Amino acid sequence: MAELRVRSVLVTGANRGIGLGFVQHLLALPNPPEWVFAGCRDPKGQRAQELQKLASKHPNLVVVPLEVTDPASIKAAAASVGERLKGSGLNLLINNAGIGNNNSLDTETLDDMLHVFTTNTVAPLLLSQAFLPLLKKAAQGNPGSGLSCSKAAIINMSSTAGSIQDLFLWQYGQALSYRCSKAALNMLTRCQSMGYRDHGILCVALHPGWVKTDMGGTLEDKSRVTVDESVGGMLKVLSNLSEKDSGTFLNWEGKVMAW
């Protein structure tokens, strides 16, 4: 199976869970990216200690202050990444930052739902808008090749909890705003795939599996996967994506998921 080769990648929500897993796996590749940008809210804070340790050992890792719900922070992050790249463009944007709650039809509130939607759906849109010039630049640097993550791609971290057909894990909790935000993120991904195709940018929604993270909860189930299993699988999937996959919803093993 092909190994993922990208010159530059930005991962949001990179201080823990799946985001941190992506950073660790990318740095450990036989041919790691020239630049790994790890976005997190408070790079010097307690919750970013693992990232700080990695950055002290890997000169190609840059920890970028990024609050994904703040347009000014997104704009500053795009400018900072652009300066580092010195005109070469960004190959891969992984919109991983996300939040959830277990509110039900009876307990959901306006504030809670807006907070989850802003982080899970609106932020990936705003990030893609802000980094679009850098993604376009990367695509223009590979004019002959078809769509791929090595060229230019937006990967939106979704969930089958947002699958209208499957309603994954309904028996464990309604998680209303989370489900709705991920269903909307899937539509955003489809729209991006249509709108950015002519710019040479591939767009895919990925379900990482039911991963053993803080956000994934504490329930024990044989279908659960570790961060390492999930991220390792997703990187294999990313390495094999091509034009035919743009606008699809896949899981960490490359299987097509139901919308």
Side-chain angles (χ1 to χ4, degrees):
M1 194 172 280
E3 174 214 315
L4 182 67
R5 286 182 181 237
V6 290
R7 183 167 180 269
S8 58
V9 55
L10 169 72
V11 183
T12 70
N15 62 307
R16 62 188 182 130
I18 293 167
L20 181 60
F22 266 119
V23 172
Q24 291 165 331
H25 277 248
L26 287 162
L27 292 171
L29 286 172
N31 293 284
E34 197 173 313
W35 293 107
V36 176
F37 298 100
C40 78
R41 191 180 298 140
D42 182 12
K44 294 191 169 72
Q46 194 75 19
R47 294 174 81 180
Q49 281 186 338
E50 280 301 311
L51 268 187
Q52 292 163 20
K53 280 185 208 162
L54 283 171
S56 68
K57 295 178 197 161
H58 297 275
N60 57 330
L61 172 60
V62 179
V63 184
V64 180
L66 178 59
E67 169 51 76
V68 299
T69 61
D70 177 5
S73 176
I74 292 172
K75 190 177 177 185
S80 160
V81 168
E83 278 174 35
R84 290 271 185 171
L85 289 171
K86 295 182 168 57
S88 62
L90 179 72
N91 298 111
L92 184 56
L93 169 62
I94 301 178
N95 283 317
N96 165 74
I99 58 169
N101 61 44
N102 202 19
N103 291 4
S104 68
L105 287 163
D106 293 334
T107 62
E108 193 58 86
T109 67
L110 174 64
D111 286 348
D112 285 352
M113 198 161 198
L114 285 177
H115 185 45
V116 172
F117 256 83
T118 302
T119 305
N120 293 0
T121 313
V122 181
L125 168 66
L126 298 180
L127 283 152
S128 301
Q129 288 174 337
F131 284 92
L132 185 61
L134 291 173
L135 289 159
K136 281 183 182 176
K137 204 171 275 186
Q140 286 156 8
N142 294 282
S145 56
L147 301 187
S148 73
C149 288
S150 303
K151 182 175 183 172
I154 297 168
I155 305 300
N156 292 324
M157 208 52 52
S158 187
S159 169
T160 50
S163 166
I164 291 168
Q165 181 173 315
D166 287 349
L167 264 181
F168 184 58
L169 298 177
W170 178 261
Q171 69 274 28
Y172 288 119
Q174 294 185 13
L176 193 72
S177 55
Y178 181 76
R179 291 181 187 280
C180 293
S181 72
K182 293 300 187 181
L185 180 64
N186 287 347
M187 176 55 93
L188 171 65
T189 307
R190 193 86 171 88
C191 293
Q192 288 175 327
S193 75
M194 302 297 286
Y196 297 157
R197 184 181 293 273
D198 289 347
H199 298 310
I201 301 167
L202 179 143
C203 303
V204 167
L206 272 190
H207 167 56
W210 188 11
V211 187
K212 294 175 182 175
T213 62
D214 292 345
M215 201 164 121
T218 54
L219 280 164
E220 286 301 322
D221 189 284
K222 66 180 188 298
S223 67
R224 299 202 68 171
V225 294
T226 64
V227 169
D228 276 348
E229 288 168 330
S230 171
V231 172
M234 286 190 285
L235 287 178
K236 282 179 189 166
V237 172
L238 296 188
S239 70
N240 286 288
L241 293 177
S242 64
E243 200 137 346
K244 66 176 172 31
D245 302 303
S246 199
T248 59
F249 178 26
L250 307 172
N251 78 351
W252 65 284
E253 296 174 300
K255 293 175 186 162
V256 176
M257 298 283 98
W259 294 116

